Amino acid sequence: MKSVLFVILTVLFLSSCSKEREAIPVTPPRIPEQWEKFIGFYKVYDTLGNYKYDMEIYHFKGVSAISSNMIDSILIQNFADTFDLKFQFSFHTPETVNFLDIGFHDSIVDRNNKTCGLWSLSDDLSTSVKENYLVNDTIIIYFKQTNIKYYINEAQPYYYCECKHVAVKQ
């Protein structure tokens, strides 16, 4: 009886002295940056579904003119099939996280060395879709482009457009 008790106590003692296993650190899933979802190659169509041009969106680290800090920036190559557009990426709240704000740009020079102004328009309330939002793989880019300040000096026809381009990520 003593020997059985001794064996049980020895087994219990040895099992309590076993080396503790180290917990494997769990790496939390990587949360993508807000700008990452916009990066890619797009086919752009008019609102009737007719193909217009190709466009590509890139990310780069720019330098803030105000604070000299590094900032997340976007380059839209071949915007409106006219020029490349660079701007600071605007971070948004969870409700507007898929919003692409191209902002306001004056004195943009296109590929033909002609100048125009460009700015983002707010959501068109006459439609059921949200403009300037990435929905699945599509952004309806809603913007105003005009050369009203420059067309006389540049001897160009006047141009004004409240444009909607449907960009579909490939």
Side-chain angles (χ1 to χ4, degrees):
M1 186 69 155
K2 287 183 180 182
S3 62
V4 173
L5 184 60
F6 177 76
V7 171
I8 292 173
L9 289 176
T10 305
V11 169
L12 287 174
F13 175 75
L14 290 177
S15 64
S16 68
C17 292
S18 67
K19 191 175 184 180
E20 286 188 32
R21 296 183 183 170
E22 292 182 24
I24 298 173
V26 177
T27 306
R30 182 181 168 279
I31 299 171
E33 297 289 337
Q34 287 185 8
W35 52 261
E36 287 184 66
K37 64 179 68 83
F38 298 102
I39 306 307
F41 180 79
Y42 292 80
K43 294 278 187 191
V44 181
Y45 303 87
D46 64 17
T47 56
L48 298 175
N50 299 310
Y51 172 77
K52 293 180 71 81
Y53 59 92
D54 292 334
M55 177 179 85
E56 195 155 2
I57 300 179
Y58 298 95
H59 168 263
F60 68 98
K61 286 287 190 181
V63 179
S64 170
I66 298 169
S67 67
S68 300
N69 293 332
M70 296 299 288
I71 55 173
D72 288 307
S73 300
I74 296 290
L75 164 65
I76 301 180
Q77 195 169 44
N78 199 33
F79 184 86
D81 202 22
T82 309
F83 47 82
D84 296 340
L85 180 63
K86 293 180 182 180
F87 58 94
Q88 179 179 347
F89 182 78
S90 299
F91 290 89
H92 300 283
T93 64
E95 296 81 29
T96 61
V97 73
N98 290 338
F99 182 66
L100 183 64
D101 184 8
I102 63 172
F104 173 77
H105 307 274
D106 198 7
S107 303
I108 296 177
V109 178
D110 68 15
R111 289 187 193 93
N112 298 317
N113 286 324
K114 303 304 175 197
T115 312
C116 71
L118 170 81
W119 55 96
S120 183
L121 293 173
S122 60
D123 188 36
D124 181 358
L125 299 177
S126 69
T127 65
S128 61
V129 293
K130 285 184 137 184
E131 285 78 16
N132 301 319
Y133 277 83
L134 178 66
V135 179
N136 297 323
D137 62 351
T138 304
I139 307 170
I140 299 176
I141 303 171
Y142 190 34
F143 61 97
K144 188 184 298 186
Q145 183 178 350
T146 184
N147 66 353
I148 192 165
K149 288 172 48 177
Y150 313 100
Y151 79 101
I152 293 173
N153 291 339
E154 294 181 349
Q156 289 295 309
Y158 171 70
Y159 178 77
Y160 175 88
C161 178
E162 288 188 14
C163 307
K164 282 188 188 183
H165 292 185
V166 181
V168 181
K169 194 172 187 179
Q170 302 303 296

